[in-house]
Amino acid sequence: MTRPLARTAAVLALLAYLPALTAAPGRMPSDSKLYLYLDPGRFISDAASTFDGRQFAGWVPHQHIAYLWPSAPWFWVFDQFGVPDWIAHRLWIGSIMLAAGLGVRWCARLLGLGPIAAFAAAVTYQLSLYVLPYVSRTSVMLLPWAGLGWIVALTIRATRRRTWADPAAIALVVLTVGAVNATALAMIVPAPAWWLVHAAWRRSIAWRDAAIVALRVGALSLAVSAWWIAMLVIQGRFGTDVLPFSESLADVSLTATSSEAWRGLGYWLFYVRDPYAATTTESLRYLSSSSAIAVSYALQLAGLGALAWCRWTHRRFAAGLIGIGLVLAVGVHPIDDRSPLMTLLAGDDDGGLALALRSSTRALPVMMLGLALALAMAVEAGRGVALARWRVPASWALGFAVALVAVVNLPALWTGAFVDPALERDQTPPGSWLAAADALDATGDAGRVLQLPGSEFGAFRWGFTVDQPLPGLTDKPLVTRDLLPLGSGPAMDLLYAFDDRIQDGVLEPEAVAPISRLLGVDTIWLTNDLAFERFRVARPDVVRDLVIDAPGTGEVSGYGEPSLHAAEVPMIDER
């Protein structure tokens, strides 16, 4: 390792790991899948199957197979060594960010930029606002972002060495970052493809050779992706069509404006608020603070200025990345007046390709890579020019200025916001949950446990889990109402109709036992520590009164100490 690379790697590692490790020590965000932390070994076993009988009265899992590599093995290894979950998680976050920065640094160096310019590009990309909506919620979605620099760098080298080694290396990167979401992977493909066009255009490689590189990369990438593509086909054919219940094209595309995309934002979950909290707490800063908004556009304006005034062999490549990424990120917005290009690609309806590529802001890494290279180009322009007053090269001053603005633009680095307070929980479920889960295991796994009342997400007095905790705590199959009806149609219709009556407070107690038997239930779990106000579900005391003395039910067992159970936010309901 050369000295410049070692210094750059050290700074990037500091910017990646220190903010992650100092954010809410001992606390966990509701990141990705809860079962990665509760029992990663069992989750690996479950994720490898095309059918799971332990949830939703039997279902075809949606995207669980994507966790087989690399996330589940990562947390399983740390679990085997007894490392606390929160430390394993922060190291995971830090490693993703460091990989993103180092990949862009290498890409910049292969394009002929000096060490300082490459450092500026790496810092700009690594500390982009793009990470904020994902880092506490779905950090696995950052894997394509982290892998883009490496994919482009290897593509550049593939056009120079013209062997199978670099396409094979690209395929390994795709294997690592691509399974989590097909759309996220597809949205970054234009970056390496644009390099091949750019290289052939400037005649540094023949068009035939560029096509050969593309075919090699495509063939090997498809081969290493067959495992999760096969599961996508199975899920699409036999699983529940989740999109009509979760993300409509109109809702998802509403916030993908060009002004927000320029900042590396635009992902719809960044803007949602409810009476309890914003879905991304840091969004409030970038939507209401004039200074934060101004700083968030500073590097973009500087990058555009560099493209206009600086000369560089690969300026067209950087400009193309910015243009391609921005157009794809905006996507079909505004949905009722789409651009001619998007109308040509996706048509005028709300289905098909338009719906498949609904989260268009996942193309933002392409734009941000182009912006990082444009800023690096400006830094490189100062190479060989000395600032007489300070007796340092201008490139050093420009590189430091770019890095400083990138740091100031992301206060989450020092405020601890890498763990969103609206999404956090205790590292370990309460002892009452663990004791009750052990009691369930003692009854065997012949029947199911029915958790009441249903809730869109797991939200409890001890924290926000998104996923229901029981499948990670017990072998007993669970059936409960969730945000999406992911089981079979008849089972979900019965379950939702039953839970509707509970939510409305009109359930006839005589229906509890026969409905439970129809669902294969031998145990009913009343979630008395549910944060009922967060998603406006039935109050636990109402559910208890409806169910506790229902005819045909057996002995009642309680776990945990009674405590005050009041709403944390003002609310008005029938109680």
Side-chain angles (χ1 to χ4, degrees):
M1 181 183 291
T2 63
R3 185 172 297 178
L5 174 56
R7 287 197 295 260
T8 297
V11 174
L12 295 178
L14 184 67
L15 291 172
Y17 290 111
L18 185 60
L21 289 168
T22 55
R27 302 285 291 174
M28 284 292 293
S30 54
D31 183 15
S32 302
K33 299 302 294 183
L34 177 66
Y35 316 122
L36 285 172
Y37 318 108
L38 294 182
D39 193 342
R42 177 160 50 193
F43 186 52
I44 290 174
S45 176
D46 290 345
S49 175
T50 58
F51 181 80
D52 178 14
R54 297 202 311 115
Q55 292 192 67
F56 303 105
W59 69 308
V60 178
H62 179 63
Q63 294 184 332
H64 278 195
I65 196 171
Y67 294 93
L68 285 179
W69 179 258
S71 54
W74 173 282
F75 290 102
W76 179 82
V77 169
F78 281 98
D79 183 64
Q80 295 304 299
F81 284 97
V83 178
D85 290 343
W86 76 271
I87 293 179
H89 175 264
R90 304 307 193 277
L91 292 176
W92 165 260
I93 294 296
S95 297
I96 290 176
M97 296 188 68
L98 178 60
L102 289 176
V104 171
R105 194 261 181 198
W106 185 36
C107 178
R109 292 291 283 151
L110 286 177
L111 291 173
L113 296 170
I116 301 301
F119 167 74
V123 172
T124 301
Y125 189 85
Q126 179 175 314
L127 303 185
S128 63
L129 299 185
Y130 181 77
V131 304
L132 290 177
Y134 301 101
V135 70
S136 282
R137 179 180 289 104
T138 48
S139 62
V140 292
M141 293 298 298
L142 292 174
L143 289 174
W145 166 76
L148 179 58
W150 297 96
I151 292 172
V152 174
L154 288 165
T155 304
I156 293 171
R157 203 169 68 169
T159 59
R160 297 172 181 175
R161 303 202 307 179
R162 308 186 192 178
T163 67
W164 281 90
D166 294 310
I170 293 172
L172 292 177
V173 176
V174 170
L175 169 68
T176 301
V177 308
V180 63
N181 187 276
T183 300
L185 178 62
M187 285 295 191
I188 66 172
V189 168
W194 172 239
W195 168 258
L196 293 176
V197 173
H198 167 73
W201 195 345
R202 61 189 299 266
R203 299 182 181 179
S204 61
I205 182 176
W207 286 101
R208 177 180 177 276
D209 292 334
I212 290 174
V213 171
L215 288 173
R216 288 175 175 177
V217 171
L220 293 176
S221 297
L222 283 174
V224 300
S225 302
W227 57 286
W228 60 264
I229 293 175
M231 184 59 197
L232 278 183
V233 173
I234 293 171
Q235 196 278 325
R237 182 173 299 177
F238 300 105
T240 301
D241 185 9
V242 300
L243 295 183
F245 301 98
S246 58
E247 303 171 1
S248 71
L249 185 61
D251 292 337
V252 173
S253 64
L254 180 64
T255 57
T257 64
S258 57
S259 58
E260 288 299 275
W262 268 117
R263 300 199 289 169
L265 300 174
Y267 181 47
W268 67 282
L269 275 178
F270 190 72
Y271 305 89
V272 177
R273 294 188 66 182
D274 58 38
Y276 183 85
T279 53
T280 305
T281 305
E282 275 295 280
S283 66
L284 303 177
R285 182 193 309 276
Y286 297 96
L287 297 176
S288 61
S289 170
S290 298
S291 58
I293 293 172
V295 172
S296 67
Y297 284 107
L299 290 178
Q300 282 75 2
L301 294 174
L304 289 178
L307 287 174
W309 297 104
C310 298
R311 293 184 178 275
W312 182 39
T313 305
H314 302 294
R315 181 172 64 170
R316 179 174 57 200
F317 176 61
L321 289 176
I322 293 175
I324 293 169
L326 184 61
V327 169
L328 290 177
V330 172
V332 298
H333 178 89
I335 193 169
D336 55 353
D337 188 19
R338 306 173 189 183
S339 68
L341 176 61
M342 283 300 156
T343 301
L344 176 65
L345 293 177
D348 292 321
D349 60 11
D350 293 348
L353 182 61
L355 186 61
L357 302 179
R358 65 199 179 282
S359 296
S360 58
T361 52
R362 288 168 188 162
L364 284 172
V366 176
M367 186 202 77
M368 291 182 296
L369 176 60
L371 176 65
L373 294 176
L375 290 167
M377 175 177 62
V379 173
E380 187 72 6
R383 193 175 183 181
V385 179
L387 298 177
R389 183 174 180 180
W390 293 284
R391 296 182 180 179
V392 296
S395 60
W396 283 70
L398 289 171
F400 176 78
V402 168
L404 180 62
V405 175
V407 170
V408 172
N409 190 37
L410 192 65
L413 294 172
W414 64 84
T415 63
F418 278 0
V419 176
D420 196 314
L423 301 175
E424 69 174 8
R425 63 173 176 85
D426 295 338
Q427 178 179 251
T428 304
S432 56
W433 276 71
L434 300 178
D438 289 341
L440 285 176
D441 281 336
T443 66
D445 58 2
R448 298 187 176 107
V449 55
L450 172 63
Q451 182 176 312
L452 298 175
S455 180
E456 293 180 4
F457 300 101
F460 310 95
R461 294 296 167 215
W462 48 275
F464 188 52
T465 63
V466 178
D467 298 308
Q468 297 298 335
L470 277 181
L473 300 176
T474 176
D475 291 327
K476 192 105 173 160
L478 169 70
V479 58
T480 187
R481 181 176 187 163
D482 209 288
L483 174 66
L484 302 176
L486 296 175
S488 67
M492 294 298 98
D493 286 344
L494 176 62
L495 175 63
Y496 276 53
F498 179 63
D499 189 72
D500 280 343
R501 285 158 176 76
I502 293 176
Q503 303 290 349
D504 294 337
V506 297
L507 175 72
E508 297 180 4
E510 292 79 6
V512 172
I515 295 298
S516 297
R517 286 193 292 269
L518 283 173
L519 292 171
V521 168
D522 63 8
T523 305
I524 297 176
W525 175 295
L526 298 182
T527 314
N528 291 319
D529 56 356
L530 189 70
F532 59 89
E533 72 280 3
R534 187 152 190 175
F535 298 106
R536 304 284 296 182
V537 300
R539 292 174 180 258
D541 54 325
V542 174
V543 179
R544 184 182 186 279
D545 292 342
L546 288 171
V547 175
I548 198 73
D549 294 321
T553 57
E555 180 182 353
V556 177
S557 299
Y559 297 87
E561 296 296 325
S563 60
L564 181 65
H565 194 48
E568 295 181 0
V569 296
M571 64 176 294
I572 298 176
D573 61 8
E574 65 278 0
R575 302 289 287 185

